[in-house]
Structures are given as structure tokens and as C-alpha cells.
Amino acid sequence: MVCLGNICRSPLAQGILEHKVKAAGLDWHVDSAGTGAWHVGEQPDRRSCEVAHKYGIDITAQAARQIRPADLNEYDLVYCMDSSNYRDVMRICKTEQEEGKVHLIMNEAEPKQNINVPDPYFGGGDGFELVYQMLDRACDSIIDKRR
Ligand code: 4NP
């Protein structure tokens, strides 16, 4: 799961997918990273922690990290939150096989629509709730398609 800072959207995506993976009895390893390095080592944004907690998911043990080129080799699937993250990740791919692993996450729920998960960092209000609901749907699709 990849976003810009790895403190708002992708930590939530990681927490939601881990929760569903466990509930489905699957043995998948889920992780997240940011394309940027500004927040490396930080806990997820308080607002992401709060919305996750509201739905029974604890993401407070996560720590932000930056994506590494080796991730593209090591992971089977890389889900980007928006088209900017997608471009940045495609840029560090070394092979066509690696490029083929990279997807916009909302295309799982709404194929080929190229919908971005909006960056909630500078916004207020219901941004984090909206992000949660979008990622919840996308993660259901990920599990349904691949289990
Ligand atoms: P995220 O949100 O990419 O969902 O983690 C952001 C977090 C921090 C910044 C931007 C987006 N920032 O500019 O510091």
C-alpha cells in the first residue's frame, strides 16, 4: 500500500487489509510505504488512527517508511492511492514484470475508472472517513478476487 507520506492513507489501507486478511484466514503479508521521506519513522496521523479505531482496527504500532526499489521485487502487488503515487512508483520499477504489479487501488473496486483516494492531510471534516470507506471497499474487492 503506497501513498505520499505513509502517515494518512496507506497506513489505513494496510490496517484495513490486514484486518480482512486475518478474518478470511489468509496468510498474506501486508505492508505500506510512502513515496516521500518527510515522515519516516513517524506513527500514522492521529486522524487515521482515530478512524481506524472507530472500526475496531489498531494502526498505532505502524511506523512510516519510504518505498525502496527492492519492494517492487519482493512484493506481489503494489497498490497506489493516487495517480501521482502511481507515476512515482512506476518510475522506480526495473522490469516490465515489476510494472505489472503496480495498480491504482480504487481500480479494484471500480475497474478502469482510475479514481484517486483523496489526500486528506490538509483537509478537515470528513476526509478521513471518506478515505476509510473507499479503502474498505477496495480491500473487500482485493480479498474477493484473490483469496
Ligand atoms: P498521505 O498524506 O500521503 O496519505 O500519508 C500526506 C501526509 C503528509 C503530507 C502529504 C500527504 N505532507 O505533505 O507532509
Side-chain angles (χ1 to χ4, degrees), residues 17 28 33-34 43 46 51-53 55 73 83 88 133 139 147:
L17 188 60
W28 296 0
Q43 199 179 46
R46 179 182 47 79
V51 75
H53 180 76
Y55 293 101
N73 179 47
S83 55
D88 290 340
Q133 295 303 333
C139 290
R147 76 160 109 209

Side-chain angles (χ1 to χ4, degrees), residues 108-127:
E108 289 288 321
E110 284 157 81
K112 300 185 182 154
Q113 298 305 300
N114 296 337
I115 295 166
N116 291 324
V117 179
D119 184 346
Y121 185 65
F122 293 109
D126 291 337

Side-chain angles (χ1 to χ4, degrees), residues 52-126:
H53 180 76
K54 179 178 162 188
Y55 293 101
I57 299 173
D58 183 1
I59 63 167
T60 59
Q62 292 185 35
R65 71 176 182 91
Q66 188 174 27
I67 191 169
R68 305 165 299 137
D71 289 325
L72 277 302
N73 179 47
E74 288 167 19
Y75 287 85
D76 300 313
L77 290 163
V78 179
Y79 289 112
C80 300
M81 299 298 125
D82 65 33
S83 55
S84 166
N85 311 145
Y86 180 85
R87 275 193 302 275
D88 290 340
V89 172
M90 289 298 267
R91 213 172 280 141
I92 62 168
C93 290
K94 287 191 286 293
T95 63
E96 277 183 21
Q97 193 209 356
E98 289 183 1
E99 288 174 356
K101 298 175 175 183
V102 186
H103 307 277
L104 268 181
I105 191 167
M106 288 314 296
N107 281 347
E108 289 288 321
E110 284 157 81
K112 300 185 182 154
Q113 298 305 300
N114 296 337
I115 295 166
N116 291 324
V117 179
D119 184 346
Y121 185 65
F122 293 109
D126 291 337

Side-chain angles (χ1 to χ4, degrees), residues 3-11 38-39 81 85 119-122:
C3 64
L4 179 60
N6 193 212
I7 53 168
C8 295
R9 292 165 294 176
S10 60
W38 306 282
H39 298 281
M81 299 298 125
N85 311 145
D119 184 346
Y121 185 65
F122 293 109

